[in-house]
């Protein structure tokens, strides 16, 4: 029997802390998993000293992506979903000054961020984002464990390389899906839209109440990240001196409208008279706002990654404040179910890791996810939903990852705005097309993306060794 990986929408849309899912959320989760391993082996209480080696892309862009900080926060027992992000700077400063770390919040050990987190240029064989945790125990023995952050906050172990069956979860979804053609076949056979097929799969994992609560939380974090971004002035951290732009952009767009909360804000935006050029500005403003929050270690939703966290919510907001003023949570739920499924098709057939596939794997996938979600809400057939996702990716193929100074700022922040606008355009083109005669099926563009990823020079895969990253100097900024 053919085994198919079952990926939940909650695997694709996850609450995390910026600036990167592969370089921040993944290493954070890896720290938590290592602690769980030590506890399982009964060696946690014997640990006297720890040391972390970061490899490949985690090392090359790790400082700009706050990989060391995220790893340390995980070692301290913090969780990226619940941690009060306003204390991150203080917490790190304390560790730097005292050279002590509260290991999992349970025991104090000596730890120097500078000396005990090592950035190695070497790439490990399994994946460009490798990291090894090492511990010295009371009895003098040493233990180590390696993890790989494979994009979107997913973390795997090395030993699974040659055991692909183990890498996948083979839960029994009622509608197992590996390819877009299978998804479409279920829609036709059941006479259901994509969101309903995906919902049936989710219901095999959790109750509908839990699904609703989880998706509501995801939407709330998305909305809050847009709200915070649009209401925060200043300069982003990291040394590039990038000015936060969504604040002034938003002020010009919202004018004199008054509101008290993110929910009221939606109503206030609906009251503004949005003209064509302003649509582009509003969507860009929403996307930029999320990624400014992300760049300042704020809380966002990976969709499918942190670097591309602004595309999906900005297109959802576009639907709510421009396309349909009566939009409800039910609409947002359908959007997220479709977007999550499209993202999982890319994860199964290609990659959502920029270290494996460049920016086409992040912004390209986020644009395809947003295009698919929007198309279903605008009344598109399942064929048109898949066509919209295909168009969005087709025009991101080959997009490189070249963040200046290793920071998820330039070109990343604007790139989300571009991904969002392309998603809306892709949806409109698909809605005007006979998608049953699409020349390029979604599965083919996923295969093409993966082939392109494999051919792409590593300079353009989240290493900051090529492209804009080597053309622009920090001293010029
Ligand atoms: S260039 Fe794209 S893939 Fe690379 S860090 Fe920025 S958003 Fe992520």
């Amino acid at each position: 029997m053919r085994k198919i990986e079952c990926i939940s929408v909650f695997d694709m849309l996850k609450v995390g802390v910026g600036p990167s899912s592969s370089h921040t959320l993944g290493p954070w989760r890896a720290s938590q998993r290592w602690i769980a391993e030590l506890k399982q082996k009964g060696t946690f209480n014997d640990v006297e000293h720890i040391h972390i080696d970061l490899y490949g892309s985690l090392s090359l862009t790790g400082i700009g992506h706050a990989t060391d900080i995220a790893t340390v926060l995980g070692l301290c027992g913090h969780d990226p979903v619940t941690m009060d992000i306003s204390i991150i700077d203080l917490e790190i400063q304390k560790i730097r000054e005292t050279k002590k770390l509260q290991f999992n919040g349970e025991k104090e050990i000596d730890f120097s961020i500078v000396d005990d987190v090592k950035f190695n240029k070497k790439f490990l064989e399994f994946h460009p984002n490798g990291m090894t945790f090492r511990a010295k125990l009371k009895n003098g023995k040493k233990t180590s464990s390696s993890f790989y952050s494979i994009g979107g906050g997913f973390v795997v172990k090395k030993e699974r390389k040659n055991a692909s069956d183990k890498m996948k979860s083979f839960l029994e979804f009622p509608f197992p899906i590996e390819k877009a053609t299978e998804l479409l076949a279920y829609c036709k056979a059941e006479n259901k839209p994509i969101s309903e097929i995906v919902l049936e799969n989710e219901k095999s994992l959790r109750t509908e109440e839990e699904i609703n609560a989880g998706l509501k939380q995801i939407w709330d974090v998305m909305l809050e990240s847009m709200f915070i971004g649009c209401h925060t002035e200043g300069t982003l951290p990291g040394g590039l001196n990038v000015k936060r732009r969504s604040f002034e952009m938003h002020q010009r767009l919202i004018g004199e409208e008054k509101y008290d909360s993110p929910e009221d804000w939606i109503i206030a935006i609906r009251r503004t008279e949005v003209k064509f050029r302003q649509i582009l500005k509003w969507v860009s403003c929403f996307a930029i706002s999320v990624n400014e929050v992300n760049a300042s270690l704020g809380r966002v939703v990976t969709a499918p990654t942190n670097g591309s966290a602004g595309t999906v919510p900005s297109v959802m907001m576009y639907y709510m404040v421009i396309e349909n003023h009566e939009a409800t949570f039910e609409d947002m739920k359908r959007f997220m179910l479709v977007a999550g499924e499209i993202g999982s098709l890319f994860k199964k057939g290609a990659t959502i890791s920029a270290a494996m596939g460049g920016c086409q794997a992040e912004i390209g996938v986020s644009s395809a996810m947003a295009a698919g979600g929007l198309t279903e809400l605008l009344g598109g057939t399942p064929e048109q939903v898949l066509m919209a996702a295909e168009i969005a990716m087709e025009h991101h193929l080959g997009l490189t990852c070249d963040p200046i100074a290793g920071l998820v700022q330039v070109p990343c922040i604007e790139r989300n705005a571009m991904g969002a606008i392309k998603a809306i355009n892709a949806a409109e083109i698909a809605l005007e097309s006979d998608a049953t005669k699409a020349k390029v099926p979604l599965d083919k563009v996923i295969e093409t993306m993966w082939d392109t990823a494999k051919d792409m020079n590593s300079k353009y895969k989240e290493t900051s060794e090529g492209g804009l990253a080597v053309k622009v100097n920090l001293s010029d900024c």
Side-chain angles (χ1 to χ4, degrees):
M1 194 180 92
R2 192 167 64 105
K3 290 184 173 178
I4 294 177
E5 185 180 8
C6 298
I7 298 177
S8 162
V9 65
F10 294 104
D11 292 324
M12 301 308 300
L13 305 173
K14 293 192 283 279
V15 177
V17 173
S20 165
S21 47
S22 56
H23 289 53
T24 314
L25 183 58
W28 193 323
R29 290 286 183 219
S31 290
Q32 293 176 309
R33 278 184 56 178
W34 182 54
I35 289 170
E37 262 184 20
L38 293 172
K39 290 204 163 202
Q40 201 186 12
K41 287 184 196 155
T43 49
F44 176 83
N45 290 330
D46 299 331
V47 172
E48 279 195 338
H49 184 248
I50 51 184
H51 179 92
I52 300 102
D53 280 302
L54 302 172
Y55 296 101
S57 174
L58 284 189
S59 167
L60 291 166
T61 57
I63 290 180
H65 285 50
T67 306
D68 47 351
I69 292 172
T71 305
V72 168
L73 291 172
L75 292 172
C76 291
H78 293 296
D79 187 274
V81 177
T82 54
M83 183 180 183
D84 175 1
I85 53 175
S86 66
I87 64 163
I88 289 179
D89 285 349
L90 268 179
E91 184 87 355
I92 295 298
Q93 196 188 337
K94 199 165 111 194
I95 298 167
R96 285 192 199 282
E97 283 170 7
T98 61
K99 298 206 167 139
K100 303 259 182 230
L101 174 148
Q102 295 299 324
F103 195 27
N104 202 35
E106 296 177 37
K107 56 182 263 180
E108 187 173 273
I109 53 174
D110 293 338
F111 186 83
S112 156
I113 297 180
V114 174
D115 298 329
D116 292 319
V117 183
K118 190 169 171 210
F119 293 85
N120 302 277
K121 285 202 169 169
K122 181 180 142 192
F123 279 72
L124 298 186
E125 191 200 347
F126 175 65
H127 190 280
N129 291 335
M131 62 193 302
T132 302
F133 294 89
R134 303 180 200 282
K136 193 170 148 231
L137 307 178
K138 266 188 211 153
N139 60 8
K141 286 193 177 163
K142 291 181 180 167
T143 177
S144 69
S145 189
S146 294
F147 294 84
Y148 297 84
S149 178
I150 61 169
F154 288 85
V155 174
V156 297
K157 296 279 293 174
K158 181 183 180 184
E159 60 263 30
R160 292 182 172 176
K161 181 187 179 189
N162 297 318
S164 59
D165 280 4
K166 277 198 224 155
M167 246 181 100
K168 302 173 177 180
S169 59
F170 297 114
L171 300 167
E172 290 299 317
F173 273 177
F175 300 107
I177 298 159
E178 192 168 33
K179 304 261 182 203
T181 43
E182 291 164 340
L183 174 59
L184 187 57
Y186 293 132
C187 291
K188 283 185 179 165
E190 301 289 319
N191 195 22
K192 285 181 174 168
I194 288 175
S195 58
E196 284 188 35
I197 296 293
V198 182
L199 181 61
E200 287 308 311
N201 280 347
E202 288 297 328
K203 277 158 63 179
S204 69
L205 300 175
R206 41 185 74 83
T207 65
E208 191 149 3
E209 288 71 39
E210 289 168 337
I211 294 167
N212 288 343
L215 290 178
K216 177 77 173 52
Q217 187 202 11
I218 296 287
W219 168 242
D220 286 346
V221 174
M222 286 178 168
L223 178 60
E224 194 175 75
S225 60
M226 286 185 273
F227 189 79
I228 291 172
C230 285
H231 295 86
T232 309
E233 305 182 72
T235 304
L236 295 173
L240 269 182
N241 293 322
V242 173
K243 190 180 168 196
R244 298 177 85 124
R245 279 180 293 175
S246 55
F247 178 82
E248 285 180 8
M249 216 171 162
H250 174 259
Q251 278 203 320
R252 286 192 288 272
L253 287 164
I254 196 77
E256 298 300 313
E257 292 292 342
K258 300 275 179 275
Y259 48 89
D260 293 324
S261 65
E263 291 73 24
D264 274 1
W265 181 49
I266 291 175
I267 297 163
I269 298 170
R270 285 173 179 159
R271 282 197 298 265
T272 63
E273 251 192 66
V274 180
K275 301 190 182 69
F276 174 69
R277 280 185 64 208
Q278 285 170 323
I279 294 176
L280 299 181
K281 286 185 186 176
W282 267 118
V283 173
S284 300
C285 182
F286 296 141
I288 288 171
S289 65
V290 175
N291 288 83
E292 287 176 348
V293 169
N294 181 60
S296 47
L297 274 72
R299 184 158 281 127
V300 297
V301 173
T302 65
T305 64
N306 276 37
S308 60
T311 307
V312 167
S314 60
V315 177
M316 290 169 76
M317 268 300 260
Y318 162 80
Y319 181 78
M320 286 192 109
V321 299
I322 292 165
E323 282 287 351
N324 180 7
H325 286 196
E326 309 298 318
T328 62
F329 170 69
E330 273 305 306
D331 296 313
M332 295 304 101
K333 177 179 166 183
R334 285 172 62 205
F335 194 116
M336 289 186 270
L337 289 167
V338 174
E341 187 60 36
I342 302 280
S344 77
L345 288 172
F346 279 96
K347 182 168 185 324
K348 288 173 208 170
T351 180
I352 57 167
S353 163
M356 292 291 277
C359 201
Q360 57 175 355
E362 290 206 15
I363 298 293
V365 175
S366 69
S367 187
M369 290 165 70
L374 180 64
T375 305
E376 180 168 310
L377 291 195
L378 293 177
T381 62
E383 284 97 336
Q384 286 171 320
V385 169
L386 299 180
M387 185 184 199
E390 183 284 313
I391 294 171
M393 173 51 78
E394 187 178 319
H395 303 289
H396 280 98
L397 285 174
L399 189 65
T400 58
C401 170
D402 51 357
I404 295 174
L407 293 160
V408 193
Q409 297 181 9
V410 186
C412 320
I413 295 172
E414 281 177 5
R415 210 162 258 187
N416 281 265
M418 299 303 163
I421 301 294
K422 274 194 201 177
I424 296 168
N425 203 3
E428 294 299 348
I429 292 171
L431 288 165
E432 287 301 318
S433 304
D434 179 354
T436 60
K437 298 195 175 109
K439 293 266 187 271
V440 185
L442 178 56
D443 289 328
K444 288 291 167 202
V445 94
I446 294 173
E447 278 175 38
T448 306
M449 184 202 137
W450 183 226
D451 289 346
T452 308
K454 287 183 283 186
D455 289 341
M456 196 181 272
N457 191 302
S458 73
K459 286 195 294 190
Y460 303 115
K461 296 188 197 177
E462 214 168 5
T463 55
S464 290
E465 290 183 329
L468 288 173
V470 296
K471 286 279 179 246
V472 181
N473 268 324
L474 253 186
S475 52
D476 299 337
C477 299

